[in-house]
Amino acid sequence: IFSFENKEYWVQFIGEKNDFKESIIKFLNFLKNIMVGDFSCFGYEYDIDVDIINLIGEVIKNSKIIKSVFLLDEVLKNNDGFKILCEYLKNHESLKRLHFGHSFIDKLSKKNIGLLVDVIKSSTIEYIDGLHENDYNLIFENLMNNSMSKNHKIKCVGKSLNDDLVLKLSNMII
């Protein structure tokens, strides 16, 4: 799924694994050359395919108007894939929201939390969904800094804030 010029497009590839990879590579090469507003990629085991992860990264990096990206949560579990993806997310100036899958995932490694914090600090990302609650708590302050510094709005949709996070938030406001 992607949006282009305020229209949403759904694309589904059907076929054998090798045929599918070839098709999705061609399609991602097409997408990396247009200004995509939103991008979702699920299906196919791209989380273990470096070629696909690099192309997804190029689609994100090359689109100067992209606001939201939805990826399978499996990309968080692949340390190499996540590291590659983070290189493309760093310093992005329009991306606001990252969504990782629909299922409950395990906590991220300390290394991956560090990568995610670096991405948030160097970008305009204000909202991340699909993380383990403990991981979300670790990145909360960085997300709120981005949100409040850019538009002075607080976005904690669907998140329960514990006392520590409420205290952090109140200190940020003051």
Side-chain angles (χ1 to χ4, degrees):
I1 303 171
F2 68 98
S3 66
F4 177 67
E5 295 183 352
N6 296 318
K7 295 179 184 172
E8 188 173 275
Y9 298 89
W10 289 65
V11 178
Q12 183 175 6
F13 295 98
I14 301 172
E16 297 296 321
K17 188 171 184 174
N18 289 336
D19 293 337
F20 178 82
K21 181 178 178 179
E22 184 179 320
S23 296
I24 194 138
I25 285 174
K26 286 179 184 178
F27 184 68
L28 289 171
N29 275 315
F30 160 73
L31 285 182
K32 75 179 185 181
N33 293 311
I34 65 173
M35 291 293 145
V36 178
D38 297 295
F39 177 75
S40 299
C41 188
F42 31 81
Y44 182 67
E45 297 172 351
Y46 67 81
D47 58 295
I48 58 172
D49 193 311
V50 175
D51 296 330
I52 302 293
I53 291 174
N54 275 304
L55 282 170
I56 290 170
E58 288 182 33
V59 169
I60 296 166
K61 182 179 179 180
N62 292 347
S63 183
K64 304 301 182 205
I65 63 168
I66 195 166
K67 299 286 186 216
S68 181
V69 173
F70 179 93
L71 301 169
L72 291 174
D73 54 0
E74 282 83 6
V75 76
L76 294 172
K77 298 174 187 174
N78 177 339
N79 289 331
D80 294 334
F82 188 66
K83 182 178 179 182
I84 291 168
L85 185 64
C86 284
E87 290 302 315
Y88 289 100
L89 297 174
K90 281 184 184 175
N91 301 311
H92 205 288
E93 296 179 3
S94 66
L95 186 62
K96 302 289 184 209
R97 295 174 301 279
L98 283 175
H99 305 272
F100 293 104
H102 292 294
S103 63
F104 177 79
I105 64 162
D106 295 330
K107 290 172 55 173
L108 295 176
S109 67
K110 287 183 182 182
K111 179 182 174 184
N112 283 356
I113 287 290
L115 290 171
L116 195 55
V117 167
D118 288 345
V119 165
I120 296 166
K121 285 181 176 180
S122 70
S123 69
T124 57
I125 296 171
E126 300 173 355
Y127 181 78
I128 298 178
D129 191 30
L131 298 177
H132 188 278
E133 184 178 341
N134 292 347
D135 294 339
Y136 182 78
N137 292 346
L138 293 172
I139 64 167
F140 172 80
E141 189 170 354
N142 295 300
L143 290 172
M144 291 302 104
N145 280 334
N146 278 0
S147 183
M148 292 173 65
S149 68
K150 307 295 187 252
N151 59 27
H152 307 291
K153 293 180 182 177
I154 299 171
K155 295 181 182 179
C156 300
V157 179
K159 303 293 181 195
S160 55
L161 301 180
N162 62 30
D163 291 345
D164 292 336
L165 294 182
V166 171
L167 182 59
K168 278 184 184 181
L169 186 57
S170 65
N171 287 337
M172 291 170 72
I173 294 170
I174 296 173

